[in-house]
Amino acid sequence: MIRTPLLAASFAAVLATAALASDLTLGTVLGTTPEAVAAALTEAGYTVQKQEREHGRIEVKATRDGKRYEIKVDAASGAVTAIELDD
């Protein structure tokens, strides 16, 4: 009987971790090309409208859950350096 609550709690913890892993944060590595970054964002649930390489970074305009974002990625490391909510 002790196993059932423990198993349920473990399963809930795994689900919560998976949900947090899909959120985009600074430092998240998406890729070093505009195409790789767009593919990673699409997989994370974003709809990419525009992507371009500029000044050593990749800039992407994307939407998710009705919100518009500008996401900047370091082209050398592939890591997210900025996430801005567009109005």
Side-chain angles (χ1 to χ4, degrees), residues 18-48:
L20 291 175
S22 68
D23 288 342
L24 188 63
T25 60
L26 296 180
T28 300
V29 176
L30 298 177
T32 57
T33 66
E35 296 79 17
V37 171
L41 289 171
T42 299
E43 188 174 317
Y46 290 83
T47 300
V48 176

Side-chain angles (χ1 to χ4, degrees):
M1 290 189 175
I2 294 175
R3 288 185 181 164
T4 302
L6 182 58
L7 182 60
S10 297
F11 186 70
V14 168
L15 287 179
T17 302
L20 291 175
S22 68
D23 288 342
L24 188 63
T25 60
L26 296 180
T28 300
V29 176
L30 298 177
T32 57
T33 66
E35 296 79 17
V37 171
L41 289 171
T42 299
E43 188 174 317
Y46 290 83
T47 300
V48 176
Q49 280 84 37
K50 182 179 179 184
Q51 67 213 28
E52 64 184 3
R53 184 183 291 256
E54 186 176 279
H55 306 293
R57 66 181 171 225
I58 299 165
E59 296 181 5
V60 179
K61 294 201 181 243
T63 58
R64 182 176 175 196
D65 299 330
K67 297 178 184 172
R68 295 183 305 179
Y69 296 91
E70 184 171 333
I71 301 160
K72 297 178 182 173
V73 176
D74 180 73
S77 68
V80 175
T81 59
I83 305 167
E84 300 171 5
L85 188 59
D86 273 348
D87 293 328

